[in-house]
Amino acid sequence: MSEFFDNMNRAKVDMNSEPVVKFENVCKTYTLYKNDQERFRALFKKPKNPILHKALDHVSLEIHKGEAVGIMGDNGCGKSTLLKTITGVTFPDEGSVTVHGMVAALLELTSGFSAEMTGRENIYLKGYILGLDDDQIKVIEENVVDFAELGDYIDQPVRTYSSGMKMRLGFSINVNISPDILVVDEALAVGDAAFKAKCKNKIREIIETGVTVLYVSHNASSVEEICERSVYMKKGHIIFDGPTHETHLVYLVDKRQMMIKKRERRIKKLEELIATSDNKEDIIAAQSVIPKHKDAIERLKQDLAQYEQELKEYREEHYSNANQ
């Protein structure tokens, strides 16, 4: 357990309770377009041989009340699409997504603001969008204002705000509405170091209250700080689901294996070029590059061996007694 959880008074998660978020065999496919003109034409005419990207491919997942779950994976693996189906920004093509409770989403913090309205007026606007009434918004209004630390700007039009100020206001609104489920996508990078620490502590407080948290970040240490459980996604599939440190090691092992295979394929292509080309300059260039790829593979293999050993030791430490 990370230092982030030290002395944290968290209620024990009941894994036998009904999930607050449940994915059942969920698929989501996007059509990719070369440019805006092609996207516009597709509104009127079905494109020939469209490029399809399956962001989610038969994903099944259960998350219970009070869990803090991280989502790991490279760009394009389906992390953000997974979160967007929870918040209702997008909908699955197949399968079902069931969500119980109010969701606060720290995805695009500045979305939904009216540029001509003041920051305080936008608190009410966002509150209405989230389904709150006037009395509920009045209860949280000053907490939002105090947390955002915008000073006199809170009563100025949002069009006068910097991007960082708008992000502060968006973050403050979402964390102060007392959500049942908090969805975070790289949203802790808000403001200066002091404000980032304040945001992280606020997330910690929210977790302590039993709110369910889903957190996406490319910073693995950040995920380990906040989440005890994590899911590793790859090409729309869930590859692994377990304790965050173990999930991170699984990701590192898989990543190094992929990088080694990629380098080996490059070497094979260069060797084929050397064997078939009549261009002396191309042959010399290929011969000079191959050793660099081989050196890189050796370094990757050393990293792979280290991560495999760490994963083995982790599993022996945490699972060997359970199997006895």
Side-chain angles (χ1 to χ4, degrees):
M1 188 174 293
S2 73
E3 293 180 3
F4 188 82
F5 285 104
D6 288 351
N7 303 316
M8 183 180 283
N9 299 314
R10 303 174 70 233
K12 186 176 180 180
V13 176
D14 182 5
M15 299 303 290
N16 294 318
S17 63
E18 183 181 5
V20 294
V21 177
K22 186 174 183 178
F23 284 71
E24 294 182 276
N25 209 31
V26 172
C27 295
K28 179 64 180 180
T29 302
Y30 293 105
T31 302
L32 305 182
Y33 301 97
K34 295 179 181 179
N35 49 51
D36 290 338
Q37 290 81 1
E38 186 176 294
R39 182 177 290 103
F40 179 74
R41 285 196 295 270
L43 295 173
F44 307 97
K45 185 178 180 181
K46 187 176 181 180
K48 296 180 180 179
N49 303 316
I51 301 172
L52 301 178
H53 171 64
K54 202 153 195 175
L56 298 177
D57 192 355
H58 296 93
V59 169
S60 294
L61 176 68
E62 292 186 356
I63 298 171
H64 296 263
K65 179 176 172 57
E67 282 197 283
V69 181
I71 313 293
M72 297 184 182
D74 294 337
N75 288 334
C77 72
K79 303 188 299 295
S80 293
T81 301
L82 186 83
L83 299 188
K84 287 176 180 177
T85 58
I86 294 172
T87 60
V89 174
T90 190
F91 301 95
D93 302 322
E94 300 177 37
S96 64
V97 179
T98 305
V99 179
H100 297 288
M102 178 186 289
V103 179
L106 305 182
L107 300 178
E108 297 179 12
L109 294 176
T110 61
S111 64
F113 284 145
S114 169
E116 297 303 320
M117 295 172 70
T118 68
R120 195 180 298 273
E121 289 169 339
N122 270 287
I123 294 173
Y124 280 80
L125 175 62
K126 292 278 280 190
Y128 296 146
I129 292 172
L130 292 168
L132 304 181
D133 58 32
D134 285 336
D135 291 337
Q136 291 173 311
I137 298 171
K138 285 179 182 178
V139 170
I140 68 168
E141 180 180 353
E142 290 309 314
N143 290 335
V144 173
V145 172
D146 291 342
F147 191 92
E149 297 179 358
L150 296 177
D152 293 338
Y153 272 97
I154 193 65
D155 292 309
Q156 299 302 313
V158 165
R159 59 177 167 75
T160 66
Y161 288 15
S162 68
S163 59
M165 292 167 68
K166 287 186 282 188
M167 290 179 70
R168 282 186 178 217
L169 181 59
F171 187 99
S172 183
I173 293 170
N174 279 281
V175 297
N176 280 290
I177 63 169
S178 300
D180 300 300
I181 302 165
L182 182 65
V183 176
V184 187
D185 188 356
E186 297 284 8
L188 295 184
V190 181
D192 55 25
F195 197 80
K196 288 179 184 178
K198 184 178 179 179
C199 292
K200 184 180 289 187
N201 287 333
K202 185 64 177 179
I203 297 292
R204 183 181 189 273
E205 291 175 12
I206 289 172
I207 295 173
E208 283 186 316
T209 66
V211 170
T212 305
V213 176
L214 285 91
Y215 180 53
V216 167
S217 175
H218 291 289
N219 186 336
S221 61
S222 176
V223 177
E224 290 205 40
E225 280 186 323
I226 294 174
C227 306
E228 292 178 294
R229 171 190 170 196
S230 286
V231 172
Y232 166 36
M233 296 190 67
K234 177 180 174 183
K235 296 181 178 179
H237 296 276
I238 291 179
I239 303 299
F240 187 81
D241 180 355
T244 295
H245 187 62
E246 183 180 7
T247 304
H248 186 207
L249 289 173
V250 170
Y251 166 73
L252 290 172
V253 167
D254 191 46
K255 183 74 172 177
R256 293 307 181 279
Q257 290 174 338
M258 289 189 294
M259 293 170 71
I260 289 170
K261 291 178 180 178
K262 187 175 180 179
R263 293 274 184 175
E264 289 175 340
R265 288 195 297 268
R266 288 180 180 176
I267 290 174
K268 185 176 180 180
K269 288 184 178 180
L270 290 169
E271 289 175 339
E272 290 174 352
L273 186 150
I274 293 171
T276 59
S277 178
D278 295 326
N279 188 312
K280 187 175 181 180
E281 291 183 357
D282 288 347
I283 293 173
I284 293 173
Q287 289 173 333
S288 67
V289 172
I290 287 176
K292 297 178 182 178
H293 284 302
K294 289 184 176 180
D295 289 342
I297 287 174
E298 288 305 311
R299 292 193 296 271
L300 289 168
K301 286 182 176 179
Q302 291 174 7
D303 290 344
L304 175 60
Q306 176 188 335
Y307 296 137
E308 286 179 331
Q309 181 62 29
E310 290 181 19
L311 182 58
K312 179 181 177 183
E313 290 174 356
Y314 178 92
R315 287 173 169 170
E316 287 177 348
E317 178 183 353
H318 290 81
Y319 303 132
S320 58
N321 293 334
N323 294 329
Q324 291 177 358

